[in-house]
Short mmCIF file of all heavy atoms in Angstrom, two decimals:
data_model
loop_
_atom_site.label_atom_id
_atom_site.label_comp_id
_atom_site.label_asym_id
_atom_site.label_seq_id
_atom_site.Cartn_x
_atom_site.Cartn_y
_atom_site.Cartn_z
N MET A 213 0.85 -1.19 0.00
CA MET A 213 0.00 0.00 0.00
C MET A 213 0.88 1.24 0.00
O MET A 213 1.87 1.31 0.74
CB MET A 213 -0.91 0.02 1.22
CG MET A 213 -1.97 -1.06 1.24
SD MET A 213 -3.09 -0.87 2.65
CE MET A 213 -3.88 0.68 2.24
N THR A 214 0.50 2.20 -0.83
CA THR A 214 1.24 3.44 -0.91
C THR A 214 0.28 4.62 -0.82
O THR A 214 -0.92 4.49 -1.08
CB THR A 214 2.04 3.54 -2.22
OG1 THR A 214 1.14 3.38 -3.32
CG2 THR A 214 3.13 2.49 -2.28
N HIS A 215 0.84 5.74 -0.45
CA HIS A 215 0.09 6.99 -0.38
C HIS A 215 0.93 8.07 -1.07
O HIS A 215 2.15 8.15 -0.84
CB HIS A 215 -0.18 7.37 1.07
CG HIS A 215 -0.56 8.81 1.27
ND1 HIS A 215 -1.85 9.26 1.09
CD2 HIS A 215 0.20 9.91 1.57
CE1 HIS A 215 -1.88 10.56 1.31
NE2 HIS A 215 -0.66 10.98 1.61
N TYR A 216 0.30 8.87 -1.89
CA TYR A 216 0.98 9.98 -2.54
C TYR A 216 0.17 11.25 -2.32
O TYR A 216 -1.05 11.25 -2.41
CB TYR A 216 1.14 9.74 -4.04
CG TYR A 216 2.04 8.58 -4.37
CD1 TYR A 216 1.52 7.31 -4.62
CD2 TYR A 216 3.42 8.74 -4.42
CE1 TYR A 216 2.34 6.25 -4.89
CE2 TYR A 216 4.25 7.68 -4.70
CZ TYR A 216 3.72 6.44 -4.93
OH TYR A 216 4.54 5.37 -5.21
N SER A 217 0.87 12.31 -2.03
CA SER A 217 0.19 13.60 -1.95
C SER A 217 -0.24 14.02 -3.35
O SER A 217 0.38 13.64 -4.35
CB SER A 217 1.12 14.63 -1.33
OG SER A 217 1.41 14.29 0.00
N ASP A 218 -1.30 14.79 -3.40
CA ASP A 218 -1.88 15.15 -4.69
C ASP A 218 -0.88 15.84 -5.61
O ASP A 218 -0.92 15.65 -6.83
CB ASP A 218 -3.09 16.07 -4.48
CG ASP A 218 -4.29 15.35 -3.91
OD1 ASP A 218 -4.31 14.09 -3.98
OD2 ASP A 218 -5.20 16.01 -3.39
N PHE A 219 0.04 16.59 -5.03
CA PHE A 219 0.93 17.37 -5.86
C PHE A 219 2.03 16.53 -6.52
O PHE A 219 2.80 17.03 -7.34
CB PHE A 219 1.54 18.54 -5.08
CG PHE A 219 2.09 18.17 -3.73
CD1 PHE A 219 3.33 17.59 -3.59
CD2 PHE A 219 1.33 18.42 -2.59
CE1 PHE A 219 3.83 17.26 -2.35
CE2 PHE A 219 1.82 18.09 -1.33
CZ PHE A 219 3.08 17.51 -1.21
N VAL A 220 2.13 15.25 -6.18
CA VAL A 220 3.14 14.40 -6.83
C VAL A 220 2.54 13.17 -7.49
O VAL A 220 3.26 12.40 -8.14
CB VAL A 220 4.24 13.95 -5.84
CG1 VAL A 220 4.92 15.15 -5.20
CG2 VAL A 220 3.71 12.97 -4.81
N LYS A 221 1.25 12.97 -7.36
CA LYS A 221 0.63 11.79 -7.94
C LYS A 221 0.90 11.72 -9.44
O LYS A 221 0.77 12.71 -10.16
CB LYS A 221 -0.88 11.81 -7.69
CG LYS A 221 -1.28 11.29 -6.34
CD LYS A 221 -2.79 11.30 -6.16
CE LYS A 221 -3.18 10.83 -4.77
NZ LYS A 221 -4.63 10.92 -4.53
N GLY A 222 1.29 10.54 -9.88
CA GLY A 222 1.58 10.34 -11.29
C GLY A 222 2.98 10.74 -11.69
O GLY A 222 3.40 10.47 -12.82
N ARG A 223 3.71 11.41 -10.79
CA ARG A 223 5.08 11.85 -11.11
C ARG A 223 6.12 11.15 -10.25
O ARG A 223 7.22 10.87 -10.70
CB ARG A 223 5.20 13.37 -10.93
CG ARG A 223 4.26 14.18 -11.80
CD ARG A 223 4.57 15.68 -11.71
NE ARG A 223 4.41 16.23 -10.37
CZ ARG A 223 5.37 16.88 -9.70
NH1 ARG A 223 6.55 17.06 -10.26
NH2 ARG A 223 5.13 17.36 -8.49
N PHE A 224 5.80 10.90 -9.00
CA PHE A 224 6.74 10.29 -8.05
C PHE A 224 6.31 8.87 -7.73
O PHE A 224 5.12 8.54 -7.75
CB PHE A 224 6.79 11.10 -6.75
CG PHE A 224 7.41 12.46 -6.85
CD1 PHE A 224 7.67 13.06 -8.06
CD2 PHE A 224 7.72 13.16 -5.69
CE1 PHE A 224 8.24 14.32 -8.14
CE2 PHE A 224 8.29 14.42 -5.74
CZ PHE A 224 8.53 15.02 -6.98
N SER A 225 7.30 8.04 -7.39
CA SER A 225 7.02 6.66 -7.04
C SER A 225 7.94 6.21 -5.92
O SER A 225 9.16 6.36 -6.02
CB SER A 225 7.20 5.76 -8.26
OG SER A 225 6.99 4.41 -7.92
N ILE A 226 7.36 5.66 -4.85
CA ILE A 226 8.14 5.16 -3.73
C ILE A 226 8.28 3.65 -3.85
O ILE A 226 7.34 2.95 -4.28
CB ILE A 226 7.47 5.55 -2.38
CG1 ILE A 226 8.34 5.17 -1.20
CG2 ILE A 226 6.07 4.94 -2.26
CD1 ILE A 226 7.82 5.69 0.15
N SER A 227 9.44 3.15 -3.48
CA SER A 227 9.68 1.71 -3.54
C SER A 227 10.72 1.34 -2.51
O SER A 227 11.35 2.20 -1.91
CB SER A 227 10.14 1.29 -4.95
OG SER A 227 11.38 1.91 -5.27
N ARG A 228 10.87 0.04 -2.30
CA ARG A 228 11.88 -0.40 -1.33
C ARG A 228 12.57 -1.66 -1.85
O ARG A 228 11.99 -2.44 -2.58
CB ARG A 228 11.25 -0.65 0.03
CG ARG A 228 10.37 -1.88 0.12
CD ARG A 228 9.49 -1.87 1.37
NE ARG A 228 10.24 -1.63 2.58
CZ ARG A 228 9.69 -1.18 3.72
NH1 ARG A 228 8.39 -0.92 3.76
NH2 ARG A 228 10.42 -0.99 4.80
N ASP A 229 13.81 -1.82 -1.44
CA ASP A 229 14.58 -3.03 -1.71
C ASP A 229 15.00 -3.55 -0.35
O ASP A 229 15.95 -3.06 0.25
CB ASP A 229 15.79 -2.70 -2.59
CG ASP A 229 16.57 -3.93 -3.00
OD1 ASP A 229 16.53 -4.95 -2.26
OD2 ASP A 229 17.25 -3.89 -4.03
N SER A 230 14.28 -4.57 0.13
CA SER A 230 14.55 -5.07 1.49
C SER A 230 15.93 -5.70 1.58
O SER A 230 16.58 -5.64 2.63
CB SER A 230 13.48 -6.07 1.88
OG SER A 230 12.22 -5.42 2.00
N ALA A 231 16.39 -6.31 0.51
CA ALA A 231 17.71 -6.93 0.54
C ALA A 231 18.80 -5.89 0.76
O ALA A 231 19.83 -6.17 1.38
CB ALA A 231 17.96 -7.69 -0.75
N LYS A 232 18.57 -4.68 0.27
CA LYS A 232 19.55 -3.59 0.43
C LYS A 232 19.20 -2.69 1.60
O LYS A 232 19.93 -1.73 1.86
CB LYS A 232 19.65 -2.77 -0.86
CG LYS A 232 20.20 -3.56 -2.04
CD LYS A 232 20.33 -2.66 -3.27
CE LYS A 232 20.95 -3.44 -4.43
NZ LYS A 232 21.08 -2.59 -5.65
N ASN A 233 18.09 -2.98 2.27
CA ASN A 233 17.66 -2.15 3.40
C ASN A 233 17.56 -0.68 2.98
O ASN A 233 18.00 0.23 3.70
CB ASN A 233 18.60 -2.30 4.60
CG ASN A 233 17.88 -2.25 5.92
OD1 ASN A 233 16.69 -2.55 6.02
ND2 ASN A 233 18.59 -1.86 6.96
N THR A 234 16.99 -0.46 1.82
CA THR A 234 16.97 0.86 1.21
C THR A 234 15.59 1.16 0.65
O THR A 234 14.91 0.26 0.12
CB THR A 234 18.02 0.94 0.09
OG1 THR A 234 19.32 0.72 0.66
CG2 THR A 234 18.01 2.30 -0.59
N VAL A 235 15.21 2.41 0.76
CA VAL A 235 13.96 2.90 0.19
C VAL A 235 14.30 3.94 -0.87
O VAL A 235 15.27 4.70 -0.71
CB VAL A 235 13.06 3.51 1.28
CG1 VAL A 235 11.80 4.12 0.68
CG2 VAL A 235 12.68 2.45 2.29
N TYR A 236 13.52 3.97 -1.92
CA TYR A 236 13.78 4.89 -3.02
C TYR A 236 12.56 5.77 -3.30
O TYR A 236 11.43 5.43 -2.94
CB TYR A 236 14.10 4.10 -4.30
CG TYR A 236 15.25 3.14 -4.18
CD1 TYR A 236 15.03 1.79 -3.91
CD2 TYR A 236 16.56 3.58 -4.31
CE1 TYR A 236 16.08 0.90 -3.79
CE2 TYR A 236 17.62 2.70 -4.20
CZ TYR A 236 17.38 1.37 -3.93
OH TYR A 236 18.43 0.50 -3.81
N MET A 237 12.83 6.87 -3.95
CA MET A 237 11.74 7.65 -4.51
C MET A 237 12.18 8.15 -5.89
O MET A 237 13.15 8.91 -5.99
CB MET A 237 11.33 8.81 -3.64
CG MET A 237 10.08 9.53 -4.19
SD MET A 237 9.26 10.53 -2.98
CE MET A 237 10.47 11.85 -2.77
N GLN A 238 11.51 7.65 -6.88
CA GLN A 238 11.74 8.09 -8.26
C GLN A 238 10.89 9.33 -8.49
O GLN A 238 9.67 9.30 -8.27
CB GLN A 238 11.35 6.99 -9.24
CG GLN A 238 11.53 7.37 -10.70
CD GLN A 238 12.98 7.57 -11.08
OE1 GLN A 238 13.86 6.82 -10.66
NE2 GLN A 238 13.25 8.60 -11.87
N MET A 239 11.54 10.40 -8.92
CA MET A 239 10.85 11.65 -9.15
C MET A 239 10.99 12.03 -10.62
O MET A 239 12.11 12.26 -11.09
CB MET A 239 11.42 12.76 -8.26
CG MET A 239 11.45 12.38 -6.78
SD MET A 239 11.86 13.76 -5.70
CE MET A 239 13.51 14.16 -6.27
N ASN A 240 9.88 12.07 -11.32
CA ASN A 240 9.86 12.42 -12.73
C ASN A 240 9.09 13.72 -12.94
O ASN A 240 8.34 14.16 -12.07
CB ASN A 240 9.20 11.30 -13.55
CG ASN A 240 9.94 9.98 -13.44
OD1 ASN A 240 11.17 9.94 -13.34
ND2 ASN A 240 9.20 8.89 -13.46
N SER A 241 9.28 14.30 -14.11
CA SER A 241 8.57 15.53 -14.46
C SER A 241 8.68 16.58 -13.36
O SER A 241 7.68 17.17 -12.93
CB SER A 241 7.09 15.22 -14.76
OG SER A 241 6.97 14.29 -15.80
N LEU A 242 9.89 16.79 -12.89
CA LEU A 242 10.10 17.70 -11.78
C LEU A 242 9.74 19.14 -12.15
O LEU A 242 9.91 19.57 -13.30
CB LEU A 242 11.54 17.63 -11.31
CG LEU A 242 11.85 16.38 -10.45
CD1 LEU A 242 13.33 16.10 -10.40
CD2 LEU A 242 11.29 16.55 -9.05
N ARG A 243 9.25 19.85 -11.13
CA ARG A 243 8.81 21.23 -11.31
C ARG A 243 9.57 22.14 -10.34
O ARG A 243 10.03 21.67 -9.30
CB ARG A 243 7.31 21.34 -11.01
CG ARG A 243 6.43 20.42 -11.83
CD ARG A 243 5.03 20.35 -11.27
NE ARG A 243 4.15 19.47 -12.05
CZ ARG A 243 2.95 19.07 -11.66
NH1 ARG A 243 2.47 19.49 -10.49
NH2 ARG A 243 2.23 18.27 -12.43
N PRO A 244 9.69 23.40 -10.63
CA PRO A 244 10.37 24.31 -9.69
C PRO A 244 9.76 24.25 -8.28
O PRO A 244 10.50 24.38 -7.29
CB PRO A 244 10.19 25.68 -10.35
CG PRO A 244 10.13 25.38 -11.81
CD PRO A 244 9.36 24.09 -11.91
N GLU A 245 8.48 24.04 -8.19
CA GLU A 245 7.83 23.98 -6.87
C GLU A 245 8.18 22.71 -6.08
O GLU A 245 7.82 22.60 -4.91
CB GLU A 245 6.31 24.12 -6.99
CG GLU A 245 5.65 23.15 -7.94
CD GLU A 245 5.43 23.76 -9.33
OE1 GLU A 245 6.31 24.49 -9.81
OE2 GLU A 245 4.37 23.46 -9.93
N ASP A 246 8.88 21.77 -6.72
CA ASP A 246 9.35 20.59 -6.00
C ASP A 246 10.65 20.87 -5.26
O ASP A 246 11.16 20.00 -4.54
CB ASP A 246 9.58 19.42 -6.97
CG ASP A 246 8.29 18.93 -7.61
OD1 ASP A 246 7.26 18.85 -6.90
OD2 ASP A 246 8.31 18.62 -8.82
N THR A 247 11.20 22.05 -5.44
CA THR A 247 12.45 22.41 -4.76
C THR A 247 12.25 22.39 -3.26
O THR A 247 11.35 23.05 -2.73
CB THR A 247 12.90 23.80 -5.22
OG1 THR A 247 13.23 23.75 -6.61
CG2 THR A 247 14.12 24.26 -4.43
N ALA A 248 13.09 21.62 -2.56
CA ALA A 248 12.96 21.45 -1.10
C ALA A 248 14.08 20.54 -0.62
O ALA A 248 14.81 19.95 -1.43
CB ALA A 248 11.61 20.85 -0.74
N VAL A 249 14.19 20.41 0.68
CA VAL A 249 15.00 19.36 1.27
C VAL A 249 14.09 18.15 1.48
O VAL A 249 13.00 18.29 2.05
CB VAL A 249 15.63 19.80 2.60
CG1 VAL A 249 16.42 18.65 3.22
CG2 VAL A 249 16.52 21.01 2.38
N TYR A 250 14.52 17.01 1.00
CA TYR A 250 13.73 15.79 1.09
C TYR A 250 14.29 14.88 2.17
O TYR A 250 15.51 14.65 2.23
CB TYR A 250 13.71 15.07 -0.26
CG TYR A 250 12.81 15.75 -1.26
CD1 TYR A 250 13.17 16.96 -1.84
CD2 TYR A 250 11.59 15.19 -1.62
CE1 TYR A 250 12.34 17.60 -2.74
CE2 TYR A 250 10.75 15.80 -2.53
CZ TYR A 250 11.12 17.01 -3.08
OH TYR A 250 10.29 17.64 -3.98
N TYR A 251 13.38 14.38 3.00
CA TYR A 251 13.75 13.52 4.12
C TYR A 251 13.04 12.18 4.02
O TYR A 251 11.88 12.12 3.62
CB TYR A 251 13.33 14.17 5.45
CG TYR A 251 13.91 15.52 5.73
CD1 TYR A 251 13.28 16.68 5.29
CD2 TYR A 251 15.09 15.64 6.47
CE1 TYR A 251 13.81 17.93 5.57
CE2 TYR A 251 15.63 16.89 6.75
CZ TYR A 251 14.98 18.03 6.29
OH TYR A 251 15.50 19.27 6.58
#
């Protein structure tokens, strides 16, 4: 199950690789308003 805020739906995708103990976020079609520090 995933949740996306309206402002990134269809552009961003969250995923995880348990073997690598890592989570990812693919961000496509970036916009100037996406400028921020991401945590």
Side-chain angles (χ1 to χ4, degrees):
M213 293 185 65
T214 56
H215 162 83
Y216 294 95
S217 295
D218 288 343
F219 47 81
V220 303
K221 278 181 182 176
R223 301 188 298 125
F224 291 12
S225 177
I226 186 172
S227 62
R228 72 195 308 159
D229 185 334
S230 294
K232 295 183 177 179
N233 216 25
T234 299
V235 175
Y236 303 97
M237 186 161 70
Q238 179 67 41
M239 307 189 298
N240 299 325
S241 302
L242 283 161
R243 304 167 180 169
E245 54 264 39
D246 294 320
T247 295
V249 178
Y250 285 72
Y251 301 88

